[in-house]
Amino acid sequence: VDNIHLTYYLSKRSIVSVNVFDINGRLATELLNETQNEGEQNLDAGVSKLSKGIYYIILNVDGLKIAKKLAIQ
């Protein structure tokens, strides 16, 4: 996996961060940290610098967190 693509919808202007954590909970990389406007949002980010392993992508919108598993082989 060289790149990831995330699409999400914001119901209002929000503070958004997207971080990647390794299996031990350590921050591997920060992909996004900004205020975004209401509406559909798209994020394309490179993750080619990550070593092989299992990671978790955490989308944080105004304190609400959603996690997705990412396997790099």
Side-chain angles (χ1 to χ4, degrees), residues 27-60:
L27 179 64
T29 188
E30 179 180 72
L31 302 177
L32 179 74
N33 188 4
E34 65 185 27
T35 300
Q36 294 184 326
N37 291 323
E38 174 184 349
E40 184 175 284
Q41 305 294 328
N42 293 286
L43 172 66
D44 290 299
V47 292
S48 61
K49 293 182 180 181
L50 296 176
S51 302
K52 291 181 182 179
I54 303 295
Y55 296 88
Y56 292 93
I57 301 169
I58 308 294
L59 170 65
N60 184 336

Side-chain angles (χ1 to χ4, degrees), residues 17-32:
S17 67
V18 179
N19 295 303
V20 179
F21 292 89
D22 68 16
I23 196 76
N24 296 312
R26 291 183 298 248
L27 179 64
T29 188
E30 179 180 72
L31 302 177
L32 179 74

